[in-house]
């Protein structure tokens, strides 16, 4: 209808742009348009698709500049891939190339455009891919081309040649568009540091450059934190390296990636008490028997039924991935004849915690024949999670009564009842 209003935050499909009386609009089909100025991100140009080649590995982002964890089943697009683009868009001041006609998927222009140039603000050693150096310098003020950003251990580097890297901390001016790191930092926490006023959480701050440890009290290779780094922690426990050693206190990172020594950090927030005793810590270093592994074995064996459940299928991609990882890691420990009781208990605890975070459930709607914009958005998200596709691939049609996955011209019908349930008691 003429002058129909679409609520803020609603996602709609567009089949291109059109300039009317000097003003840029998005076409919604059927002679309906919305002003581009009312859409997040400023459209710079629109054109038929053009084939381009990626010069770097590239993450995919949505229209708000937020990273899409999986696009068409892939975590990222690889260097050298030929992709079709539909013009460019500026999102939060940065240039992106649009990957679909609907304008829901983008890659940073730096992964397509000319190389990035960096200028060293300090004399910088050149490192190899293992983080080792022969102390050959790139001098302060030198300008060089970089082809990628990469983490080695927990530190970020720029690649400047074949197996040659300089630390990002020594780089000053960066000319060109931003490069996404091609990997994740080893040992780095993936959780946000809590506000220090949150009395129900605990964080620790490193006193110096410190190592990250495993449940056996052994240092991880190339996993360190710089001085002054804050991390959220979930527990305090004694860890012994052998039955004859003196157990020491460690904080467990909330991300589950390892432990920091009590003496290496300062603590803020909720005070944690040890979850075990020194005697229990010594017992934990003994090799686990089949009886010790019974609970872990049971949790692994029930994974198939969990993954077949609505609870799992409709959970977020991150929650499912965390559960999958816990099961995979647990199976490795369970099959290890030398695994200690401590390793087995840790693996079992990780599965229990990951399962508890699965929160999938059907979306309750008032009337399938008259879905609200919020209900449509929630169903799209649930269907995308269940089918491991981006939300942009889920489409409604026939006045929001027919649901499908649409990718590369292929349409797969979906049953809306798999993702939503009608509840007439809902008051709109």
């Amino acid at each position: 209808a003429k002058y129909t209003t679409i609520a803020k935050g609603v996602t709609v499909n567009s089949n291109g742009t059109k300039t009317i009386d000097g003003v840029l609009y998005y076409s919604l089909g059927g002679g309906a348009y919305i002003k581009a100025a009312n859409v997040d991100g400023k459209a710079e140009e629109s054109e038929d698709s053009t084939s381009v080649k990626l010069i770097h590995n590239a993450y995919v982002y949505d229209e708000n500049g937020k990273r899409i964890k999986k696009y068409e089943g892939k975590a990222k697009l690889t260097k050298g891939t030929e992709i079709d683009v539909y013009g460019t868009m500026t999102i939060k001041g940065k240039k992106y190339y649009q990957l679909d006609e609907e304008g829901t998927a983008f890659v940073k222009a730096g992964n397509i455009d000319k190389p990035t140039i960096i200028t060293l603000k300090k004399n910088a050693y050149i490192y190899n891919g293992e983080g080792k150096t022969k102390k050959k310098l790139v001098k302060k003020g030198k300008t060089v081309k970089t082809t990628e950003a990469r983490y080695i251990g927990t530190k970020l580097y720029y690649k400047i040649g074949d197996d040659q890297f300089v630390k990002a901390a020594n780089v000053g001016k960066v000319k060109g568009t931003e490069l996404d790191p091609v990997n994740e930092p080893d040992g780095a926490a993936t959780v946000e540091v809590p506000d220090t006023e949150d009395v129900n959480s605990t964080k620790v701050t490193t006193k110096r450059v410190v190592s990250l440890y495993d449940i056996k009290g052994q240092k991880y290779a190339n996993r360190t934190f710089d001085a002054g780094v804050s991390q959220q922690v979930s527990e305090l426990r004694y860890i012994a390296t052998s039955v004859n050693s003196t157990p020491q206190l460690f904080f467990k990172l909330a991300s589950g990636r390892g432990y920091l020594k009590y003496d290496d950090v300062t603590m803020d927030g909720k005070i944690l008490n040890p979850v075990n005793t020194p005697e229990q810590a010594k017992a934990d270093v003994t090799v686990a028997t089949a009886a010790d592994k019974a609970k872990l074995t049971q949790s692994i064996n029930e994974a198939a039924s969990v993954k077949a459940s609505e609870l799992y299928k409709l959970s977020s991609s991150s929650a499912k991935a965390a559960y999958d990882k816990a099961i995979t890691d647990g199976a490795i420990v369970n099959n290890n004849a030398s695994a200690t009781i401590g390793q087995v208990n840790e693996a079992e605890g990780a599965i229990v915690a990951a399962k508890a975070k699965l929160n999938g459930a059907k979306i309750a709607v008032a009337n399938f024949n008259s879905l609200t914009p919020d209900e449509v958005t929630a169903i799209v998200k649930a269907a995308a999670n269940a089918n491991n596709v981006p939300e942009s691939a889920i489409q409604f049609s026939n006045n929001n009564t027919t649901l499908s996955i649409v990718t590369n011209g292929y349409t797969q019908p979906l049953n809306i009842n798999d993702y939503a349930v009608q509840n007439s008691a809902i008051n709109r």
Side-chain angles (χ1 to χ4, degrees):
K2 193 175 182 180
Y3 303 130
T4 294
T5 299
I6 300 176
K8 177 181 177 181
V10 172
T11 299
V12 294
N13 291 328
S14 168
N15 52 22
T17 58
K18 183 176 181 179
T19 300
I20 305 173
D21 295 332
V23 178
L24 187 64
Y25 290 77
Y26 280 98
S27 171
L28 304 183
Y33 298 86
I34 54 174
K35 287 183 178 179
N38 293 325
V39 178
D40 187 41
K42 179 183 176 184
E44 292 184 335
E45 58 186 274
S46 180
E47 54 187 30
D48 293 335
S49 67
T50 302
S51 181
V52 297
K53 182 181 288 187
L54 291 171
I55 61 174
H56 304 293
N57 291 342
Y59 292 127
V60 179
Y61 298 83
D62 65 17
E63 62 272 20
N64 299 314
K66 184 178 180 181
R67 199 167 111 194
I68 297 173
K69 295 200 173 178
K70 280 201 174 181
Y71 176 71
E72 295 185 349
K74 297 179 181 179
K76 60 185 173 185
L77 305 179
T78 55
K79 177 182 177 181
T81 301
E82 294 274 355
I83 58 174
D84 291 333
V85 296
Y86 296 80
T88 62
M89 180 175 284
T90 298
I91 303 174
K92 297 180 180 178
K94 295 182 179 180
K95 181 181 176 183
Y96 290 74
Y97 279 90
Q98 184 174 319
L99 298 182
D100 57 0
E101 291 183 293
E102 295 81 11
T104 59
F106 303 82
V107 294
K108 289 182 178 178
N111 296 309
I112 296 172
D113 290 343
K114 60 185 180 181
T116 300
I117 305 298
I118 59 174
T119 302
L120 279 299
K121 65 180 181 181
K122 300 177 182 177
N123 289 339
Y125 287 131
I126 297 175
Y127 295 81
N128 65 15
E130 296 179 349
K132 298 178 180 178
T133 180
K134 294 182 178 179
K135 297 190 175 180
K136 183 178 179 181
L137 282 172
V138 179
K139 292 187 176 181
K140 175 182 177 180
K142 179 75 173 177
T143 296
V144 293
K145 180 175 75 172
T146 178
T147 56
E148 72 177 26
R150 169 181 293 276
Y151 283 101
I152 302 175
T154 58
K155 299 184 186 299
L156 184 64
Y157 291 73
Y158 284 106
K159 185 175 183 179
I160 61 171
D162 186 21
D163 201 30
Q164 293 185 323
F165 300 83
V166 292
K167 288 182 179 178
N170 293 323
V171 173
K173 184 178 180 181
V174 179
K175 185 178 180 181
T177 47
E178 178 185 348
L179 298 179
D180 283 318
V182 298
N183 62 347
E184 300 292 341
D186 275 347
T190 55
V191 296
E192 294 181 1
V193 175
D195 192 314
T196 54
E197 294 180 0
D198 184 355
V199 296
N200 293 316
S201 63
T202 306
K203 73 171 184 178
V204 297
T205 303
T206 55
K207 298 177 182 178
R208 48 191 163 267
V209 177
V210 300
S211 295
L212 194 68
Y213 294 80
D214 63 18
I215 187 61
K216 297 171 72 175
Q218 304 295 325
K219 292 181 181 179
Y220 283 112
N222 298 321
R223 293 192 182 184
T224 60
F225 288 104
D226 288 336
V229 173
S230 295
Q231 299 292 320
Q232 183 174 321
V233 294
S234 58
E235 71 177 27
L236 179 66
R237 77 162 45 241
Y238 284 101
I239 294 178
T241 56
S242 71
V243 292
N244 297 317
S245 66
T246 300
Q248 297 183 59
L249 281 171
F250 289 78
F251 284 104
K252 183 178 182 179
L253 296 183
S255 62
R257 292 196 178 191
Y259 297 80
L260 292 172
K261 274 189 177 180
Y262 181 91
D263 292 337
D264 286 341
V265 299
T266 59
M267 182 182 68
D268 290 303
K270 181 181 178 181
I271 295 176
L272 299 177
N273 295 315
V275 297
N276 62 347
T277 65
E279 290 72 27
Q280 289 171 330
K282 288 185 177 183
D284 283 347
V285 302
T286 58
V287 175
T289 64
D292 294 325
K293 293 180 176 180
K295 287 185 178 180
L296 176 60
T297 302
Q298 181 180 348
S299 292
I300 294 170
N301 289 341
E302 75 170 10
S305 61
V306 170
K307 291 184 180 182
S309 69
E310 178 182 297
L311 176 72
Y312 176 90
K313 288 181 178 179
L314 298 182
S315 287
S316 67
S317 297
S318 59
K320 289 190 291 187
Y323 179 76
D324 293 346
K325 184 178 186 302
I327 291 294
T328 300
D329 292 347
I332 293 172
V333 172
N334 204 39
N335 294 330
N336 181 1
S338 301
T340 65
I341 291 176
Q343 288 177 295
V344 169
N345 291 341
E346 182 181 54
E348 162 64 6
I351 293 175
V352 171
K355 182 181 176 182
K357 291 181 180 179
L358 296 174
N359 58 357
K362 290 184 180 180
I363 307 303
V365 302
N367 187 342
F368 275 128
N369 296 317
S370 180
L371 297 176
T372 68
D374 285 345
E375 290 170 346
V376 167
T377 299
I379 293 170
V380 166
K381 187 171 184 178
N385 285 333
N387 292 279
N388 199 29
V389 297
E391 291 178 28
S392 58
I394 305 297
Q395 293 190 12
F396 266 109
S397 57
N398 297 329
N399 293 321
N400 292 336
T401 59
T402 302
L403 192 64
S404 306
I405 299 176
V406 181
T407 54
N408 297 323
Y410 172 75
T411 300
Q412 175 187 341
L414 299 176
N415 185 349
I416 192 172
N417 292 289
D418 290 338
Y419 314 103
V421 59
Q422 185 165 301
N423 183 353
S424 57
I426 295 177
N427 185 359
R428 289 182 174 174

